[in-house]
Each structure stands twice: as C-alpha cells, then as structure tokens.
Amino acid sequence: MEKTIYIFSSGELKRKGNTLYFETEENRKYIPVEDTGEIMIFGEVDINKKLLEFLSQKEILMHYFNYNGYYMGTFYPREHLNSGYMILKQSEYYMDEKKRLELARQFVIGAGKNIRQVLKYYNNRDCDLEDGLKRIEEIFTSMPEIITINQLMALEGNMREQYYKCFDTITQNQDFVFEERSRRPPRNYMNTLVSFGNTLMYTTVLSEIYKTHLDPRIGFLHATNFRRFSLNLDVAEIFKPIIIDRLIFSLIRKNMVTKKDFDKNTEGIMLKDKAKQVFVQQMDEKLKVTIKHRELGRHVSYRRLIRLELYKLAKHLIDEKKYEPFIANW
Amino acid sequence: MQNKEIHITGTLVWYYYICHREVWFMGRQIVPDQDNPNIDIGRFIGENAYSRESKKEIAVGNSRFDIIRNKEGHLVISEIKKSSKFKDSARMQLAFYLSELETLGITARGELLFPEEKRKETIVLDDKLRAHLEQARRDILRIMYLPVPPPAQKKSLCKNCAYAELCWA
C-alpha cells in the first residue's frame, strides 16, 4: 500500500532524479516516489515548481498544516480521473432537494450508528453510558420526520452534543474534561485533540476522493459553497467516531498524551509537535488495520474502507445501488 | 448520453469479450482503480517490451496501435498483451483495428504479441471476423445506452479486476 509521508521538521523537499529528496540541516533522506500516496506537511518546508510538476505527474497530493496544526490547503494536482458523466450525476443529486436529502440522511445515519457502536463498546467495558445511549436513541427516533437539510443538521447537532457528554465518562481523566465543543480556537485539551483528529480525517478522505471520479467540491450534507471541499466532510462523518474518537480515547486512557503535551498561546490551546507525531503515527497504524470484506472477498484496510464508501456513493449516483453507510460491528 | 459522444474503440471491444459491465464503465470514462498493481504491470510491459521498435503508440481515428511497421511490403499493426489469457478478446480488438483501417482504404495484417510468453499470433481480417465484429459493435452500443450498468456477476476474473471494488463495494 502507498505510504503517507508526514513531515514535521523544517527543510527543503525537492525532486532528485526520479525520487523525492528531503533535506534538513542535520538530515537528508530519499523518499521513494512510487511508494508515496500523499504528503502531509506540518513543518516549514521549502518547495519549488519542479517538485510540484513531479508530484502532479505522479498524482501525489500534498496537504499543508499551519504551525498550530490547522489545515491550510492542498496541492491538488490537475484532475486525472475525468468522467463528465459522473460530475453531472453528482450535480444532479445535489440540485434535486429530495435526492440530496436522501443522501445527506444516510451520512447522518452512518455517523449516528457508528457513534452508538463506540458508546456500546465502552459501555460493555468499564463505563456506564446507558443514559447517553438512551438519549441518542431518542433523537434517532425522530429521523423519519426530517424533511429538510436544516432539520437534519439540527438533529445531527443534538446527537453530537449528547455524544460529547459521554466523553468524560469514557476518558475518566480530569485533565481532559470536554465541557462543550469549541473550535478556532479550541479552549481545552479535549477539544484540541478532536480538532486535530478531525482535520486529519478530512484530509485523508480528500486524498481518497482524488482517486475516484467524484468531485470533492460537491457535498450533500455539508452545503457546497463552491470554494472549498465539502464531500470529504460528509464522508468523514461516518469514520470520525470509529477512527478518530476511538484513537483519542485510547491515547488518553493509555497516557500516551498528557497535559504536558499542550501549549497555550494566542490561538488557544495547541498540541506540541511530539504529541502530533504520536497522533499521526497511531492514526497511520489504524488506517492500515485490515478487516475481511465479505462481499468483496478481500481483506481491506480502514483506508480502503473509505475508498469503498466512495465507490458505494458512485454507485448510488449512477442509479445502480442505494447508498448505505458503513457501520462498524464491533 | 449524446450520440456524438459515442464511438466504439478497440479497448471497448477488448472489454466486451471479458465483462459487459466494464464496457459500460469504460464507455463513460469511469476508469478502474489506478492503484491496482496489475495496471502498472500492463503499462510497464506495454512501455518496455519491443523497445527496439521506434514507432510506438500511433493514433489513427479512435484507435491506438501499440506498434505499426512495414514487413516485406505489408503493413503490420501489433497489439502487446501481458498474457494470452484473454486471447479471444485480444484477437477481436485487433480485428477491430484492422477493420477501422479498412474503412480508410488501408489493408493491413495484425499481430498479437505476448512478450512475457515469447509468443505471437497473426490475425487476418476475413468475412467471418467481419461478421463477428459487426455483431459485437451493435451489442456494445446497446450496452453503452443502458441507463444503469449491467449487474455485477461474480466470476473468477473479478479476483484480479481493478473494477472489483467498485462492483462489490
């Protein structure tokens, strides 16, 4: 499988012959290009046009994060998978209110069911989450009454609020009290972890979308606003609970991240580089974990599951098979 | 799909004898998963085999010939394949190219090349092949006009197919 390259140090990334070359003051390293799927840049990295040309030719995405770990943007090579047919279909499903709602609803259902799965898991271990589970079930029962995207967004918000209330019971750690969701800037350690994790999830899904015929600018739950990517936000909803949130819980419960890993600055509370590295490393490992896919008869990684989700979406758009979100069953 | 967008290509003929679903996808430029290793292998063989031949990848109309050359006064077009596993498919693809040339008033012979197996096979367009092609052409159009792709059917081919994940997701 192609690797994700994470760069935290400062230096120069360039093309050298037919390979990538990263040079810092102390270190120099060759990165085999055929092996590379995407590059995530957290450090101060100098690049030149020759490198961009090379990445474009090899269809490698380069994602940029600022000093605080916020997503800045992506070098998205000129599209290489072009099917006018698919773009038209995607637009058709966006423009038609009913069709759009039907898809958006599936994303919320997927998110909700995976949230439930996460809570059930901890409920069966050492946490009492019965109340939280019950509240989420209740919100879920009003799903059939939803007839507009706005109502759907509101339901999703309520559900997430109840879900976040369960976080403190799961982490059992005073340092990581959730309180409420705060972003830009995140006001406590837990929110900082959630923001960072979600950012990673969005970029990972974006990289997978790039390898399909779907257009990342046309989302269904998250309104398309013609200037930023939104389809990746939709699909990420399904995977955030089972990949990111589980990762955060395990980082805290195993003390792999502690309050010493955070900095306070004018932008709010930020993760230090070392903790960011631990996070991405754990995320990377998680994405490589495989499960047996019954229909397909192949072992697929979590990363691949994201791609399969996009294929399912494509099949929905070409009117072949109704989209049903992936639900973890453990 | 609008009429003018539709033209049958050699690749579609190739797929027609393997999987009709692939014809439908290919006809809409929905290409298979480019991460599939078999795609790289095929491309590599195509690019590196017969490297002494200078004229490669010639496009005529909607056809792209791997190699085109003159042998003792005869025009010979060649198609390079990874293996002879889908020989019938390859034969019809080449026959299609020959018939495209024929409509331009060019008579040519075809050669299937299997560099990995160090084998080749000659194809001459005859009436029987022409009739087969005509039937295939009509059926390919029929498939391309279907509003949804023909349903996936699990065959042994799916195991290595780069469309499998799209089909079975």
Side-chain angles (χ1 to χ4, degrees), chain B residues 18-147:
Chain B
I18 297 173
C19 173
H20 289 183
R21 213 173 138 79
E22 284 190 273
V23 171
W24 194 93
F25 285 135
M26 268 294 177
R28 282 167 176 70
Q29 277 85 48
I30 297 173
V31 302
D33 175 16
Q34 300 298 302
D35 290 347
N36 188 299
N38 288 319
I39 290 191
D40 284 334
I41 295 170
R43 191 181 302 133
F44 186 81
I45 293 173
E47 281 170 9
N48 293 288
Y50 302 97
S51 51
R52 277 171 300 176
E53 300 293 335
S54 55
K55 289 174 185 165
K56 299 188 76 177
E57 283 268 336
I58 307 291
V60 178
N62 295 322
S63 309
R64 273 164 71 203
F65 310 132
D66 286 344
I67 303 175
I68 183 160
R69 58 192 155 179
N70 225 316
K71 264 190 188 171
E72 296 140 16
H74 294 286
L75 191 63
V76 179
I77 59 163
S78 312
E79 176 68 21
I80 305 170
K81 290 291 179 203
K82 189 169 124 223
S83 84
S84 57
K85 198 169 155 198
F86 304 111
K87 206 163 70 184
D88 293 337
S89 242
R91 212 178 266 147
M92 293 311 288
Q93 182 182 357
L94 202 44
F96 172 83
Y97 291 148
L98 295 176
S99 88
E100 290 284 278
L101 286 176
E102 200 175 59
T103 57
L104 297 170
I106 302 167
T107 313
R109 204 151 45 89
E111 227 176 39
L112 285 179
L113 302 173
F114 306 104
E116 298 291 278
E117 301 168 10
K118 299 195 187 340
R119 284 182 40 188
K120 64 179 175 187
E121 189 180 320
T122 303
I123 307 284
V124 178
L125 192 62
D126 57 20
D127 283 344
K128 210 175 135 197
L129 268 180
R130 281 190 197 97
H132 272 305
L133 261 180
E134 191 42 41
Q135 202 204 342
R137 268 204 185 96
R138 248 179 280 150
D139 206 33
I140 288 171
L141 281 178
R142 177 191 64 81
I143 294 167
M144 283 166 72
Y145 275 116
L146 292 174

Side-chain angles (χ1 to χ4, degrees), chain A residues 2 59 80-86 208 211 213 293-298 300 304 307-309 311-312 314-315 318-321, chain B residues 1 21 24-25 28-36 147-152 154 158-162 164-169:
Chain A
E2 289 180 337
E59 292 156 11
H80 70 288
L81 294 184
N82 266 320
S83 167
Y85 174 75
M86 194 60 101
E208 291 304 310
K211 305 212 157 184
H213 291 84
H293 191 285
R294 245 184 256 145
E295 271 292 298
L296 197 59
R298 294 180 190 173
V300 291
R304 206 61 179 180
R307 180 88 67 91
L308 292 181
E309 210 59 14
Y311 287 149
K312 276 153 60 179
K315 279 162 82 167
I318 60 179
D319 305 312
E320 194 187 5
K321 192 179 167 191
Chain B
M1 279 199 302
R21 213 173 138 79
W24 194 93
F25 285 135
R28 282 167 176 70
Q29 277 85 48
I30 297 173
V31 302
D33 175 16
Q34 300 298 302
D35 290 347
N36 188 299
V148 292
K154 201 154 246 176
C158 300
K159 204 164 58 135
N160 294 317
C161 177
E165 292 180 349
L166 177 58
C167 289
W168 303 107

Side-chain angles (χ1 to χ4, degrees), chain A residues 23-284:
Chain A
E23 192 175 33
T24 65
E25 273 177 21
E26 312 83 46
N27 234 319
R28 52 207 63 204
K29 200 180 161 191
Y30 286 95
I31 306 165
V33 71
E34 301 294 345
D35 232 22
T36 303
E38 57 184 343
I39 304 174
M40 308 266 217
I41 296 191
F42 292 89
E44 284 302 319
V45 174
D46 291 331
I47 55 156
N48 59 22
K49 200 181 91 184
K50 219 158 78 183
L51 173 82
L52 295 180
E53 232 175 275
F54 192 42
L55 294 181
S56 190
Q57 183 198 335
K58 297 289 176 187
E59 292 156 11
I60 296 171
L61 268 57
M62 189 159 60
H63 305 291
Y64 286 99
F65 302 87
N66 72 9
Y67 178 73
N68 294 320
Y70 287 140
Y71 175 71
M72 285 203 303
T74 298
F75 171 66
Y76 204 76
R78 195 191 61 210
E79 282 217 57
H80 70 288
L81 294 184
N82 266 320
S83 167
Y85 174 75
M86 194 60 101
I87 305 272
L88 287 177
K89 280 301 205 177
Q90 205 178 335
S91 316
E92 177 193 324
Y93 273 76
Y94 179 80
M95 308 271 284
D96 184 322
E97 193 98 6
K98 241 175 92 185
K99 288 181 172 175
R100 183 181 158 198
L101 182 70
E102 189 192 349
L103 265 181
R105 192 194 302 270
Q106 289 306 317
F107 291 124
V108 176
I109 289 174
K113 287 192 174 171
N114 282 324
I115 280 173
R116 198 164 61 184
Q117 216 52 36
V118 169
L119 294 183
K120 272 187 184 162
Y121 171 81
Y122 284 102
N123 193 46
N124 287 339
R125 287 185 75 184
D126 49 6
C127 311
D128 181 10
L129 298 165
E130 293 291 348
D131 284 350
L133 273 162
K134 210 183 281 169
R135 284 194 301 267
I136 286 174
E137 292 294 345
E138 263 168 41
I139 294 169
F140 232 77
T141 53
S142 57
M143 181 61 90
E145 295 152 32
I146 299 290
I147 47 164
T148 68
I149 295 272
N150 280 342
Q151 290 171 334
L152 190 63
M153 296 284 270
L155 181 140
E156 202 246 7
N158 286 340
M159 191 171 72
R160 214 159 267 284
E161 200 181 78
Q162 295 305 326
Y163 174 49
Y164 288 144
K165 277 188 185 157
C166 299
F167 274 34
D168 295 352
T169 316
I170 297 172
T171 56
Q172 298 165 0
N173 187 328
Q174 279 305 310
D175 294 338
F176 288 92
V177 171
F178 195 92
E179 287 162 4
E180 57 171 358
R181 182 79 178 109
S182 55
R183 51 198 122 186
R184 280 171 229 191
R187 280 190 291 272
N188 60 35
Y189 301 149
M190 187 48 133
N191 270 293
T192 300
L193 287 174
V194 170
S195 286
F196 185 70
N198 289 350
T199 297
L200 289 179
M201 196 72 239
Y202 297 143
T203 49
T204 303
V205 178
L206 181 61
S207 291
E208 291 304 310
I209 292 175
Y210 181 68
K211 305 212 157 184
T212 71
H213 291 84
L214 298 168
D215 191 312
R217 292 164 297 190
I218 307 174
F220 300 94
L221 175 63
H222 294 83
T224 293
N225 64 9
F226 304 111
R227 55 189 183 90
R228 56 156 75 169
F229 299 134
S230 52
L231 183 64
N232 57 332
L233 309 185
D234 285 2
V235 176
E237 289 300 325
I238 290 163
F239 292 98
K240 266 155 47 177
I242 49 177
I243 295 180
I244 299 300
D245 300 340
R246 277 185 173 159
L247 196 65
I248 292 173
F249 298 146
S250 104
L251 287 174
I252 295 174
R253 285 165 65 113
K254 289 179 183 158
N255 287 321
M256 290 168 86
V257 171
T258 64
K259 62 179 179 182
K260 289 188 204 115
D261 288 309
F262 296 83
D263 262 338
K264 262 195 189 102
N265 67 22
T266 48
E267 300 280 324
I269 293 170
M270 294 303 147
L271 261 181
K272 288 181 186 166
D273 267 1
K274 215 182 121 232
K276 279 186 212 154
Q277 284 174 38
V278 171
F279 201 123
V280 299
Q281 196 190 347
Q282 293 296 313
M283 165 109 172
D284 211 44

